[in-house]
Amino acid sequence: MGSGPRPGNPAEGNLQTDRRRNPLFGPNRFKLGIFSANCDGGLTMSLAPDRWKAEWADIAAMTGIADEAGLEFILPVAKWRGYQGKAKIYGRSFETLTHGAALAALTKRIAIFCTIHVPLVTPAFAAKAMATIDHVSNGRAGLNIVCGWNQEEFDLHGVTIDQDSRYDHGLEWFQVWSRLLAGGPEFDWDGRFFKLRRLQTDPLSIQRPWPAVMSAGFSPKGRDFAAQAADVLFTNLTQLEQVPAILTDINDHMATRGRAISVFTMSHVVCRPTRREAEEFYHYFAEEMADEEGQDYYRRMRGTTARRSRVPLRLRPASAVERSRSSGRE
């Protein structure tokens, strides 16, 4: 979920944008979407037997319901390894470009994001793939750019992430990708990370100058990347009291680039007839049945990234009992 839209274009301010078909730029200031449904477990590191299984029929049916309900987007996670706990959350996942193309053909309104790890996909390949999905969806495609953080996932591909230069690499990747989709004559590229010849792509995307772009980032480098490349910054919020400080920090950072940006975050929704039943079910699947090993793996791998943030992040959210006590309800 998030807020927006942000008009204009981060890299080519003189180009006219035409993204009217994409609900990410629609009139609702508060956007709602579905995150991580392409992965086993979704967002829940739980041993509960009724957790999300990431069966294709369920994904397609759920996306259809969200599409008819008017939700703005669906956002998948690009995963190559799970979180190594007892439940093996994220161990099963659908690749996001093919996932996006299939859902684009099954839906009518909702924005369809694809998530790409830039160390694994060339900008020319990504330009062709995203233009294809944008045509299938009639202008509803979105790209979530990930510069890489978990080296163990990239070991499957024989690729090493340079943590110090990953955002520089990602920005140059975006510059090539966006220039391809902006159109124009063939061009060569001689950069720090890419040496490319006779670049061009056809067809171009329906959205002009290119599809909507999202990136996630906690650190100043991650936010600066978003300020130069993205329409939406996805960030993690585990405590409501963090929100004002984090949003202020983001807005201040974007202002240094002369930008404003939409901010998205994630949340769990537990549906039960009463609040008490919802909290009891939350306690069951999130605490009684918690996959502690998987959570420890996640915290260990993400801890370095979180520590680089200028606003402290609590990687373990408060329990339902803690929240009840803090609000005077038990």
Side-chain angles (χ1 to χ4, degrees):
M1 58 185 178
S3 62
R6 182 203 61 77
N9 169 24
E12 301 286 347
N14 60 323
L15 289 176
Q16 294 296 314
T17 59
D18 183 0
R19 293 162 164 178
R20 289 170 292 179
R21 299 174 179 87
N22 193 326
L24 205 69
F25 301 97
N28 293 336
R29 289 184 58 83
F30 187 74
K31 306 292 194 296
L32 292 173
I34 298 167
F35 180 44
S36 191
N38 67 309
C39 297
D40 173 46
L43 287 173
T44 306
M45 294 187 198
S46 174
L47 299 170
D50 47 353
R51 66 182 180 272
W52 182 251
K53 301 297 186 183
E55 299 289 349
W56 174 252
D58 293 336
I59 294 170
M62 179 201 58
T63 305
I65 293 170
D67 188 35
E68 291 297 324
L71 272 66
E72 276 82 14
F73 66 94
I74 182 165
L75 173 62
V77 178
K79 296 298 294 180
W80 307 100
R81 288 179 63 88
Y83 283 141
Q84 308 306 297
K86 292 180 180 178
K88 303 290 185 186
I89 298 301
Y90 280 17
R92 170 190 174 91
S93 66
F94 288 96
E95 188 280 321
T96 72
L97 287 169
T98 46
H99 174 272
L103 292 181
L106 296 175
T107 54
K108 298 178 180 178
R109 304 175 184 87
I110 195 168
I112 305 293
F113 271 98
C114 303
T115 298
I116 288 179
H117 287 127
V118 298
L120 303 182
V121 180
T122 70
F125 187 101
K128 178 75 73 174
M130 291 305 301
T132 299
I133 296 169
D134 208 38
H135 280 261
V136 173
S137 66
N138 193 29
R140 295 181 286 120
L143 172 62
N144 178 31
I145 299 177
V146 179
C147 297
W149 62 274
N150 185 351
Q151 180 57 51
E152 289 190 4
E153 292 201 61
F154 291 86
D155 290 342
L156 276 75
H157 303 276
V159 172
T160 300
I161 303 169
D162 185 338
Q163 293 292 340
D164 293 329
S165 64
R166 61 192 178 115
Y167 283 115
D168 297 325
H169 174 238
L171 183 60
E172 188 172 323
W173 186 98
F174 167 78
Q175 290 167 341
V176 177
W177 176 83
S178 59
R179 183 171 171 183
L180 277 163
L181 288 175
E186 286 186 353
F187 63 96
D188 294 340
W189 186 274
D190 290 294
R192 175 183 172 188
F193 300 96
F194 296 99
K195 310 291 184 184
L196 307 170
R197 297 292 174 264
R198 302 189 64 183
L199 286 159
Q200 63 85 38
T201 194
D202 189 13
L204 303 177
S205 55
I206 290 177
Q207 293 176 80
R208 307 303 305 140
W210 47 77
V213 174
M214 174 187 291
S215 71
F218 308 113
S219 68
K221 281 189 175 181
R223 291 177 182 176
D224 198 51
F225 172 81
Q228 297 178 77
D231 303 288
V232 175
L233 173 66
F234 190 98
T235 194
N236 193 27
L237 299 171
T238 59
Q239 299 296 306
L240 286 176
E241 59 267 23
Q242 295 175 327
V243 173
I246 289 177
L247 290 181
T248 296
D249 187 62
I250 291 172
N251 289 335
D252 289 348
H253 198 115
M254 297 302 146
T256 65
R257 292 280 183 180
R259 297 280 316 287
I261 198 167
S262 297
V263 179
F264 281 25
T265 191
M266 59 185 176
S267 177
H268 288 80
V269 177
V270 180
C271 296
R272 285 296 184 271
T274 67
R275 183 184 185 94
R276 177 177 292 277
E277 289 175 279
E279 290 193 347
E280 287 174 352
F281 187 71
Y282 171 84
H283 186 270
Y284 158 72
F285 77 77
E287 298 189 42
E288 292 179 19
M289 301 297 291
D291 183 1
E292 297 287 355
E293 292 180 13
Q295 292 181 22
D296 288 343
Y297 176 86
Y298 174 80
R299 284 192 290 269
R300 185 172 68 253
M301 301 306 293
R302 284 313 294 257
T304 300
T305 303
R307 283 192 292 272
R308 292 177 181 177
S309 173
R310 290 165 61 183
V311 177
L313 294 177
R314 179 176 178 176
L315 288 179
R316 184 178 184 122
S319 69
V321 174
E322 289 173 325
R323 290 194 304 275
S324 296
R325 288 173 177 168
S326 66
S327 62
R329 293 180 295 103
E330 291 196 54

